[in-house]
Amino acid sequence: MRTALTGALPALLIVSASPLPAMAQDSAIVSAAFKSVFYLPVYVAEERGFFDEAGLDVRIDVASSSTNALAAVISRSADFSLHGPEWTAISAARGGEVQVIGGTLNRLGAWIACTNEVTYEGLDDLKGLRIVSGTMPTTSTSAFLNLIGKAGLDPSSDITLIEVPLGNEIGPLAAGQADCAVLYEPNASQAIDEGYKVVASFAEELGPYTFSAVSTRKDIDPAIAEKFLTGINKALVFIHENPDEAVASGLSLFPNLKPAVVEGSVRRLISDEVFAKSIAIPDEALTAALQTQVDLGNLSEIPPADTFLNLQWANEVVAQ
């Protein structure tokens, strides 16, 4: 296996009088939006040899944003990208020859954490509180505003919303400037480690939601696409069946984070079913994700599935 994060490993030549038969290896590059616990499945597929078993040598690049990850696919610098499906839908609507071919995160991975003084039994208990969240437009904040609206709260008058750059939400909690925060992982587990409590899960509140998907070009070699999806699907199954080993993979991937934070993140992503159980994408999950992007203004409407979606290979892999 190869990874752009650690550099290529030196080739190891093994000489044998009777060479063993080997599956023909293809190669591919996947561009992940970020190096994040959310993308653990692709690293597990690499670490556990699931790509190798499928006959694919995979290099993992980190793009630093969703748009950069997809741009790498469009420019043929990468074969696959990992990010929200909305960016692929937007590009396809503008004429981009790209498609979503499978899912990796089928719930929205965001949580509400509060100080211990907050009494919480439901979203309506947030009335009158100061809530810190990522600066709009962002998925977590948009989904939060929709949730509290459905709970009967007026976001403009019933709460005080404090917007900060993503990743900086715990600061106002620590400074006493906010009562609760809307957090992605690993920040939700970081908040717990610092003494706050998680009171609500967007995964539970919203249900199925395609938070991250596999995208590629429409002219991708079908054999390579199926091999890549096979590796990812095996990793997803492995994560759910072997949570302790998934935690170990997370600890290896993020050695600079506190072990308790990494473990909490991985276990929460498993227990809340943010990590998909397979690469299949339920219709309601994709619709929910795209509707959020319509609400944010990133899409004018939910586009027809045949313009950006091809689940043929994913469905075949899952059926095996």
Side-chain angles (χ1 to χ4, degrees):
M1 282 298 175
R2 299 173 288 146
T3 172
L5 299 177
T6 59
L9 295 175
L12 181 62
L13 299 180
I14 301 176
V15 178
S16 171
S18 300
L20 297 174
M23 179 180 293
Q25 288 287 115
D26 290 311
S27 62
I29 299 171
V30 56
S31 182
F34 305 98
K35 185 180 180 183
S36 163
V37 67
F38 286 120
Y39 298 122
L40 184 63
V42 73
Y43 292 100
V44 168
E46 177 194 41
E47 179 186 86
R48 298 287 169 174
F50 297 139
F51 288 135
D52 272 336
E53 291 175 6
L56 191 64
D57 183 37
V58 174
R59 189 183 89 197
I60 304 171
D61 289 348
V62 178
S64 78
S65 74
S66 298
T67 51
N68 286 347
L70 184 59
V73 169
I74 294 172
S75 68
R76 298 182 181 274
S77 299
D79 302 290
F80 305 97
S81 55
L82 299 174
H83 47 72
E86 65 274 8
W87 303 110
T88 307
I90 291 168
S91 178
R94 295 172 177 171
E97 292 296 309
V98 289
Q99 58 187 346
V100 169
I101 61 170
T104 58
L105 303 176
N106 270 341
R107 302 262 174 163
L108 178 52
W111 293 264
I112 300 173
C114 299
T115 63
N116 289 304
E117 291 73 27
V118 171
T119 299
Y120 183 94
E121 294 183 357
L123 289 164
D124 54 350
D125 288 324
L126 299 178
K127 185 173 183 178
L129 299 185
R130 301 164 299 171
I131 315 295
V132 60
S133 191
T135 303
M136 285 284 278
T138 188
T139 299
S140 56
T141 303
S142 177
F144 169 70
L145 295 176
N146 285 339
L147 279 173
I148 63 171
K150 291 178 181 178
L153 300 184
D154 184 341
S156 64
S157 60
D158 287 333
I159 66 165
T160 299
L161 182 65
I162 304 167
E163 297 184 51
V164 298
L166 282 172
N168 293 279
E169 298 89 350
I170 296 178
L173 278 179
Q177 299 168 348
D179 304 295
C180 300
V182 177
L183 303 169
Y184 290 128
E185 284 290 9
N187 285 355
S189 293
Q190 181 70 45
I192 291 173
D193 188 68
E194 295 183 14
Y196 303 103
K197 60 183 181 182
V198 168
V199 300
S201 164
F202 284 35
E204 295 178 0
E205 295 287 347
L206 292 172
Y209 186 109
T210 306
F211 191 36
S212 182
V214 179
S215 293
T216 188
R217 293 180 300 277
K218 290 184 177 179
D219 65 356
I220 190 72
D221 183 332
I224 291 177
E226 188 162 344
K227 288 180 178 183
F228 184 79
L229 291 175
T230 296
I232 294 290
N233 195 66
K234 286 184 177 181
L236 291 169
V237 172
F238 178 88
I239 285 169
H240 281 280
E241 292 182 349
N242 303 276
D244 291 344
E245 295 187 59
V247 168
S249 294
L251 292 170
S252 175
L253 184 59
F254 298 102
N256 296 325
L257 288 178
K258 290 183 68 172
V261 171
V262 176
E263 179 171 0
S265 298
V266 174
R267 293 196 186 280
R268 187 167 291 103
L269 290 168
I270 294 171
S271 63
D272 283 9
E273 298 185 6
V274 176
F275 287 139
K277 291 187 175 181
S278 77
I279 52 170
I281 298 180
D283 290 342
E284 66 270 28
L286 185 59
T287 298
L290 295 179
Q291 184 57 53
T292 296
Q293 301 308 317
V294 172
D295 297 339
L296 280 169
N298 291 328
L299 286 169
S300 59
E301 60 182 3
I302 296 178
D306 61 3
T307 63
F308 74 98
L309 186 66
N310 177 6
L311 298 180
Q312 174 186 347
W313 301 309
N315 292 336
E316 290 174 355
V317 167
V318 172
Q320 291 175 1

